[in-house]
């Protein structure tokens, strides 16, 4: 910032995010209606080919909203309510809990017992062969859901209860209107999209140390178009209050800080290398013993 103070001008809400999320919710509602009378094989097909992409993209929209990118820091609660709305087509309550844990991830990256993005010792010990690592990738959404309860359980908040009740009401309404196939499409799309899926390469690409000494990596490939530029991950951790839309400008303005860092051009290759490289496993993360006062959401 001292060298490039113009970056401060990028620290503002991305109001286009609101309209993108609205269109994504509308797209999924349309899909829920269209799949209700399809054969099961086609429900599964469209859940993976289309629903999974929209669902994973929506989780990254929720990531943006967790940083108050939709309405700005001055309207934090507007972002929380909008996150609950964006959560609806995923089928499972996620937004409010993600916000609480994700802020810890940014404040205490790699913090032992705090950052639940770090796999458990069991994951590192058990998922250590190519086949087991493949299964670990398939089951990633389950580990991301269960891991916080094992590593850093938090008392449930009022907003999490509201998130849960709103989600249950939405799911019941979809079942009542269009039946079990629409519910299956919704839930299967979320699970498949966060598991064995090209976009899921970002989970591993972001912080797994393929090169010693480098714990955060950026990806500059085309899938950033579907993921609100989450691939610009070094830039995001440097400036978490800059919306994803503007992160390419950060890289352009401060190119001397980013261009020479290790980077990826393919999330699919990241998944392949993770499975096949015997030197990489869920253990391949930087873990820190935190000192001093720790403040959590």
């Amino acid at each position: 910032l001292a060298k490039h103070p113009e970056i401060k001008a990028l620290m503002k809400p991305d109001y286009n995010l609101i309209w993108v999320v609205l269109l994504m919710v509308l797209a999924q509602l349309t899909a829920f209606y269209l799949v209700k009378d399809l054969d099961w094989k086609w429900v599964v097909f469209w859940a993976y080919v289309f629903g999974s992409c929209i669902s994973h993209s929506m989780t990254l929209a929720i990531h943006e909203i967790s940083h108050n990118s939709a309405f700005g820091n001055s309207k934090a609660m507007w972002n929380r309510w909008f996150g609950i709305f964006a959560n609806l087509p995923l089928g499972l309550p996620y937004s409010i809990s993600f916000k609480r844990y994700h802020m810890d991830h940014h404040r205490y990256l790699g913090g032992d017992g705090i950052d639940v993005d770090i796999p458990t010792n069991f994951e590192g010990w058990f998922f250590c062969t190519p086949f087991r690592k493949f299964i670990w990738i398939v089951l990633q959404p389950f580990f991301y859901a269960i891991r916080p309860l094992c590593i850093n359980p938090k008392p449930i908040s009022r907003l999490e209860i509201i998130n849960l009740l709103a989600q249950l009401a939405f799911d019941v309404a979809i079942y009542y209107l269009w039946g079990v196939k629409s519910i299956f499409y919704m839930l299967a799309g979320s699970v498949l999209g966060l598991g064995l899926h090209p976009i899921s390469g970002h989970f591993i690409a972001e912080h797994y140390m393929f090169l010693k000494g480098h714990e955060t990596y950026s990806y500059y490939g085309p899938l950033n178009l579907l993921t609100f530029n989450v691939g610009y991950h070094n830039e995001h951790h440097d400036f978490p209050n800059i919306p994803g839309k503007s992160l390419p400008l950060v890289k352009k303005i401060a190119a001397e800080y980013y261009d020479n860092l290790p980077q990826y051009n393919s999330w699919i290759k990241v998944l392949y290398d993770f499975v096949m490289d015997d030197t990489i496993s869920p253990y391949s993360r930087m873990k820190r013993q935190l000192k001093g006062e720790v403040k959590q959401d």
Side-chain angles (χ1 to χ4, degrees), residues 170-180 183:
F170 179 82
D171 294 352
V172 169
I174 294 299
Y175 176 78
Y176 177 78
L177 290 171
W178 297 320
V180 69
I183 290 290

Side-chain angles (χ1 to χ4, degrees), residues 65-132:
I65 296 166
S66 75
H67 286 282
N68 295 334
S69 292
F71 296 98
N73 292 323
S74 63
K75 296 180 178 178
M77 280 305 299
W78 288 37
N79 289 281
R80 301 294 77 73
W81 295 120
F82 193 57
I84 292 173
F85 170 76
N87 194 153
L88 295 177
L90 295 177
L92 298 169
Y94 162 81
S95 176
I96 299 300
S97 295
F98 173 79
K99 157 73 176 177
R100 298 179 74 192
Y101 284 104
H102 189 63
M103 294 305 101
D104 294 340
H105 171 68
H106 274 275
R107 292 191 190 109
Y108 310 109
L109 181 63
D112 190 16
I114 302 296
D115 184 1
V116 299
D117 197 54
I118 299 289
T120 61
N121 288 330
F122 169 78
E123 291 171 74
W125 168 76
F126 185 78
F127 296 100
C128 57
T129 67
F131 177 73
R132 291 181 184 182

Side-chain angles (χ1 to χ4, degrees), residues 14 57 60-61 63-64 202 206 218-236 242-249 267:
D14 174 17
S57 185
L60 293 167
H63 167 254
E64 287 284 291
H202 81 87
E206 290 166 0
S218 288
Y219 156 83
Y220 299 122
L223 289 178
N224 277 306
L225 295 172
L226 296 176
T227 58
F228 300 91
N229 287 328
V230 76
Y232 288 75
H233 217 67
N234 275 299
E235 295 85 346
H236 172 60
I242 293 180
K245 182 185 75 171
S246 299
L247 292 178
L249 288 175
W267 278 337

Side-chain angles (χ1 to χ4, degrees), residues 48 52 55-56 59 90 92-94 98 116-117 123 127 133-149 186-197 199-204 271:
Y48 188 77
S52 63
S55 292
H56 200 135
T59 67
L90 295 177
L92 298 169
Y94 162 81
F98 173 79
V116 299
D117 197 54
E123 291 171 74
F127 296 100
K133 286 189 286 184
F134 175 81
I135 297 300
W136 184 77
I137 289 173
V138 172
L139 298 177
Q140 271 194 111
F142 299 101
F143 286 113
Y144 270 94
I146 296 170
R147 195 183 295 145
L149 303 177
M186 175 168 55
L187 297 175
S190 296
V191 172
L192 293 171
L194 296 170
L196 187 63
H197 195 282
I199 298 177
S200 291
H202 81 87
F203 289 131
I204 294 170
L271 291 172

Side-chain angles (χ1 to χ4, degrees), residues 1-23:
L1 282 177
K3 188 173 182 180
H4 299 287
E6 63 270 30
I7 287 178
K8 291 182 180 179
L10 304 177
M11 299 175 183
K12 58 184 179 181
D14 174 17
Y15 295 116
N16 288 331
L17 176 62
I18 300 169
W19 302 108
V20 172
V21 168
L22 289 173
L23 288 173

